[in-house]
Amino acid sequence: MNRFDYVRAGSVAEAIAAGAEPGAAYLAAGTNLVDLMKGGIARPERIVDITRLPDLDRIERLPDGATRIGALVRNSDLAHDPDFARSYPAVAEALLAGASAQLRNAATAAGNVLQRTRCQYFYDVASACNKRAPGSGCEAIGGVTRAHAVLGWSAHCIATNPSDFAVPLAALDAVVEIEGSAGRREVALEAFHRLPGDAPERETALEAGELVVALRLPPEAAGFAAHARYLKVRERTSYAFALVSAAVALRMEGSRIAEARIALGGVALKPWRCREAEAALADREATPEAFRATAEAALAGAEPSGDNAFKIELARRIVVRGLTLARAGTPERVPALPASPFAGAHHA
Amino acid sequence: MSIPITLTVNGIPRTVALEDPRVTLLDLLRERLDLTGSKKGCDRGQCGACTVLLDGRRVNACLALAVSHDGAHVTTIEGLARDGELHPVQAAFIAHDGFQCGFCTPGQIVSAVGLIQEGQAGDDPERIREGMSGNLCRCGAYAGITEAVATAHAAMAGASGLPGGYLREDAA
Ligand SMILES: Cc1cc2nc3c(=O)[nH]c(=O)nc-3n(C[C@H](O)[C@H](O)[C@H](O)COP(=O)(O)OP(=O)(O)OC[C@H]3O[C@@H](n4cnc5c(N)ncnc54)[C@H](O)[C@@H]3O)c2cc1C
Ligand code: SF4
Ligand code: FES
Ligand code: FES
């Protein structure tokens, strides 16, 4: 790990001032940042510790019915908050399907959304990587690409975003609340992570020194609570990143779908919202044929970036399964194996 | 620049002058306080051997910068037994053969104490396995570990109340 100066911020204003210095990085729980620093992938000159900032560790229900998740709310506290989990069950399930209990106890809401790609060439400082070292090339292309993107990738970077939490947040139209030296602003979560294009080193909408202070779910997000699921396919049932995941939420009127929300994880460098597929389901009967057509539409633009064509059909099937399970209704309790498509199946 | 920090470790306040802010909580415990029960398996958050209770919650000590946790309470495997009596989780690991080489065991036991306190798993083996998935065991002692956690949970019943995780108003 490189040497760095340590600054403990006592207020948001102090954090922003210290964070605007070149080479500065914010430290929340550090479960991603410290890991990257140990590997020499991140080499900040100054660490601005934001864990003591007041009032950012609260979950607030706002008068209009929106919910504001403070940047420092721990992943496990959010997932186990009874009101939150009942209002946004797919978000709770996604959180509980991520990492391990130890990591979720530490990890913060903003830190999770801002975690960086797990592309193994990004992690290996001996490999060329346009994201880590702009202009150096992309060693993933032509390499081992099982986990890489099938949507929104470019000739400069084919990595995926690893966050589970961000997937249902995108489906539910969450908003990122940002504080910076120029004041406060908001960005839709869907527009927060950037696709790689020709500048994969620019990862989010944050400008240097800007701090995420909260994530907000709009009032209508709770309207999907009765029919919402998160499904995640990984190489093992727990403690593994997604190969493909999907957040699916329906607003039902009888047997008819009034409104559908679908977002995919593990397929692109951002949580992938499937708006056209959603629109085609609105005001339709919830039939298997409609679900399969929706899945086709959701992956319409997909293309393998290497040895990962399997992800495209896998994602279609996860969309169908997600829609089928969401239609059947949110389970009473988070399944014993959260987000597992094998939950309920017999394990030897 | 030396940074003094104070941690209450297994009930005892300890002040350490950090010469460098790069020290992790795990290295502080092992190298500075001679508490080598918490193990360094991967040092990258992937194995759980370094699990400690930080302000009562299980976390990976290898990814926590010590300087960020000034003032915190830390419980390690060394702090679980009371007056020469093993903690119920420790006793259950022995009774159920929840280990072979023992390297992962301190992390497993501290993690199990955290899991039982969190109150999400109850005695459901599937929920116990899921709740313990952050602790890898290279010897594959998982069957004994799951039984040990279920037994300890029963012995400590009442400590954690009803299992949580309910998603619907009409449930629970
Ligand atoms: C072994 C392992 C397995 C994992 N598996 C999964 C998984 O299956 N699914 C999953 O979703 N995640 C997984 N994770 C990732 C984990 O969820 C993240 O490490 C965690 O959520 C990051 O939160 P943090 O508070 O520790 O962030 P930090 O590490 O402190 O910060 C992460 C990044 O965000 C920046 N940052 C933090 N807070 C702010 C803020 N408020 N404003 C601006 N910038 C900020 C930091 O500068 C840093 O760049 C895994 C991690 C490990 C180590
Ligand atoms: S895919 Fe992206 S992150 Fe991975 S090596 Fe290529 S440029 Fe780097
Ligand atoms: S040593 Fe901390 S998780 Fe492996
Ligand atoms: S007992 Fe040997 S690693 Fe678990």
Side-chain angles (χ1 to χ4, degrees):
Chain A
M1 210 188 289
N2 63 293
R3 290 189 175 277
F4 55 83
D5 291 330
Y6 174 79
V7 180
R8 188 181 291 157
S11 67
V12 167
E14 235 174 81
I16 292 166
E21 298 286 321
Y26 292 121
L27 174 76
T31 61
N32 189 223
L33 183 60
V34 173
D35 184 33
L36 292 168
M37 288 167 68
K38 284 184 176 186
I41 301 121
R43 305 178 61 83
E45 285 155 37
R46 160 187 285 211
I47 289 287
V48 181
D49 185 344
I50 59 170
T51 55
R52 314 274 166 139
L53 296 184
D55 304 327
L56 295 189
D57 61 351
R58 292 205 309 243
I59 309 165
E60 289 169 86
R61 190 60 86 114
L62 305 178
D64 66 353
T67 293
R68 194 164 182 270
I69 306 160
L72 295 175
V73 174
R74 307 287 170 172
N75 287 190
S76 54
D77 291 339
L78 186 60
H80 293 313
D81 181 272
D83 291 336
F84 184 86
R86 285 189 186 118
S87 302
Y88 316 105
V91 182
E93 189 166 15
L95 284 165
L96 293 174
S100 67
Q102 287 96 317
L103 288 159
R104 296 191 293 268
N105 275 342
T108 62
N112 187 319
V113 166
L114 281 153
Q115 64 176 297
R116 304 182 68 194
T117 184
R118 306 300 286 205
C119 169
Q120 66 270 34
Y121 302 96
F122 171 74
Y123 262 80
D124 172 15
V125 292
S127 295
C129 170
N130 287 325
K131 189 182 268 302
R132 175 169 33 73
S136 64
C138 170
E139 211 137 318
I141 294 172
V144 177
T145 47
R146 188 170 162 74
H148 287 78
V150 293
L151 284 161
W153 51 273
S154 74
H156 302 272
C157 177
I158 59 171
T160 58
N161 182 298
S163 169
D164 289 300
F165 178 42
V167 180
L169 289 183
L172 294 173
D173 277 338
V175 169
V176 185
E177 296 183 11
I178 298 166
E179 195 91 56
S181 48
R184 203 180 179 87
R185 67 188 183 104
E186 299 187 348
V187 176
L189 186 102
E190 204 186 340
F192 184 70
H193 299 96
R194 291 177 196 247
L195 288 174
D198 59 4
E201 73 280 8
R202 285 190 302 148
E203 299 184 327
T204 69
L206 287 184
E207 300 293 337
E210 281 190 319
L211 181 76
V212 172
V213 290
L215 302 158
R216 198 177 68 241
L217 285 162
E220 57 292 355
F224 296 89
H227 296 276
R229 285 305 300 269
Y230 184 69
L231 282 181
K232 175 178 178 184
V233 183
R234 34 208 146 159
E235 304 279 15
R236 58 184 182 199
T237 313
S238 183
Y239 202 13
F241 288 95
L243 281 171
V244 171
S245 71
V248 177
L250 301 174
R251 202 156 52 71
M252 301 293 301
E253 278 165 12
S255 62
R256 213 171 43 86
I257 296 169
E259 190 182 356
R261 299 288 181 86
I262 304 167
L264 300 173
V267 295
L269 202 45
K270 60 186 280 186
W272 193 267
R273 180 81 181 267
C274 308
R275 285 185 184 272
E276 281 173 31
E278 291 172 5
L281 262 189
D283 281 320
R284 292 272 307 268
E285 287 295 316
T287 62
E289 297 71 39
F291 290 171
R292 184 67 205 183
T294 304
E296 296 290 340
L299 275 298
E303 250 183 89
S305 59
D307 284 333
N308 52 13
F310 78 99
K311 277 190 168 188
I312 299 172
E313 178 57 18
L314 184 57
R316 290 191 193 108
R317 293 183 190 189
I318 285 300
V319 168
V320 171
R321 180 84 71 94
L323 285 164
T324 309
L325 292 173
R327 162 80 182 87
T330 302
E332 264 182 24
R333 195 179 172 198
V334 181
L337 304 173
S340 170
F342 306 111
H346 180 70
H347 282 262
Chain B
M1 177 183 67
S2 152
I3 314 170
I5 67 161
T6 301
L7 294 171
T8 304
V9 182
N10 299 328
I12 302 165
R14 313 283 298 256
T15 299
V16 179
L18 294 178
E19 299 310 324
D20 189 316
R22 290 181 291 184
V23 180
T24 62
L25 179 57
L26 180 61
D27 285 339
L28 182 95
L29 292 168
R30 291 179 53 86
E31 310 286 335
R32 304 292 292 271
L33 301 179
D34 291 330
L35 292 168
T36 54
S38 311
K39 298 294 182 246
K40 189 184 277 195
C42 64
D43 211 24
R44 302 291 284 271
Q46 297 174 1
C47 76
C50 64
T51 303
V52 299
L53 302 181
L54 182 59
D55 291 325
R57 302 154 63 101
R58 51 181 169 149
V59 301
N60 308 88
C62 68
L63 291 184
L65 285 186
V67 65
S68 181
H69 297 283
D70 189 12
H73 286 250
V74 181
T75 303
T76 69
I77 187 70
E78 290 92 342
L80 289 182
R82 282 276 174 279
D83 306 322
E85 284 265 334
L86 291 180
H87 186 282
V89 176
Q90 291 174 304
F93 266 69
I94 294 172
H96 291 276
D97 244 352
F99 44 81
Q100 185 180 317
C101 78
F103 188 83
C104 72
T105 313
Q108 299 278 0
I109 290 176
V110 174
S111 187
V113 172
L115 171 68
I116 292 168
Q117 283 172 0
E118 286 158 17
Q120 301 295 327
D123 58 2
D124 175 349
E126 195 86 296
R127 286 182 192 272
I128 291 172
R129 279 193 287 272
E130 168 62 28
M132 293 293 291
S133 73
N135 293 85
L136 305 190
C137 175
R138 281 311 246 169
C139 300
Y142 296 111
I145 292 168
T146 306
E147 285 173 21
V149 178
T151 300
H153 182 272
M156 296 167 71
S160 57
L162 277 174
Y166 284 91
L167 294 174
R168 291 209 329 237
E169 217 55 77
D170 51 337

